[in-house]
Amino acid sequence: MTANCDLCKLLAAPPADVLVWRDERLAVILVDEPGYPGFTRVVWHDHVREMTDLSPQDRDHVMQAVWAVEQAQRATMAPHKVNVASFGNMTPHVHWHVIPRYTDDAHFPNPTWGAKQREHDAAAIAARAALLPALRAAIIENLQ
């Protein structure tokens, strides 16, 4: 763990409502991104910048977790699309963003960091947030 690394700090003591699942190599966490219930990250525990710095077996392990999260999101939240992305420009941890997207979300069809297209629909967000317990259960089931 590095003291000035935000992901190291988060992984060292993740709040119970954030941590969904973890093993000795990675963690699956829910991201508190306003307007995007179900936004999830798959985070490698150690400081590794690129997927190709991991062994082939570890890369497979990461991607199996990513696909398990996507499958759980699709099954429980019925998004229009799921965005899967890896950036890590500021964080030396391999991590993947898995984001359920809807045609009525504030940024659609743009990326979540792009230009906002409309205001958030509070009722839709509340309905999606109500699905988070089912999403957690589905992710855990898919990763067991």
Side-chain angles (χ1 to χ4, degrees):
M1 180 175 121
T2 303
N4 62 350
C5 175
D6 290 338
L7 283 178
C8 280
K9 289 182 219 174
L10 177 63
L11 293 174
D17 63 332
V18 170
L19 180 66
V20 176
W21 184 87
R22 80 182 317 158
D23 66 13
E24 68 284 349
R25 295 183 276 180
L26 61 81
V28 176
I29 58 174
L30 289 176
V31 178
D32 183 17
E33 184 67 34
Y36 293 93
F39 187 132
T40 308
R41 283 192 190 116
V42 175
V43 183
W44 192 254
H45 288 307
D46 297 328
H47 280 208
V48 175
R49 283 193 189 278
E50 306 296 346
M51 285 290 288
T52 52
D53 292 335
L54 296 171
S55 71
Q57 296 81 12
D58 286 341
R59 288 192 299 259
D60 288 346
H61 186 67
V62 170
M63 295 317 297
Q64 289 301 318
V66 169
W67 306 143
V69 170
E70 178 185 307
Q71 184 179 37
Q73 288 175 346
R74 292 181 68 201
T76 61
M77 301 188 78
H80 174 75
K81 177 76 175 101
V82 177
N83 290 169
V84 177
S86 177
F87 303 109
N89 297 333
M90 301 298 293
T91 308
H93 286 266
V94 163
H95 65 283
W96 287 84
H97 305 258
V98 188
I99 311 165
R101 300 296 307 277
Y102 303 86
T103 57
D104 66 352
D105 77 42
H107 294 87
F108 196 88
N110 292 340
T112 57
W113 63 88
K116 197 173 188 182
Q117 301 297 301
R118 66 198 59 80
E119 291 305 312
H120 290 291
D121 178 341
I125 292 168
R128 292 169 189 146
L131 299 172
L132 291 178
L135 175 62
R136 288 174 156 281
I139 291 170
I140 291 166
E141 182 178 324
N142 287 353
L143 289 169
Q144 304 239 353

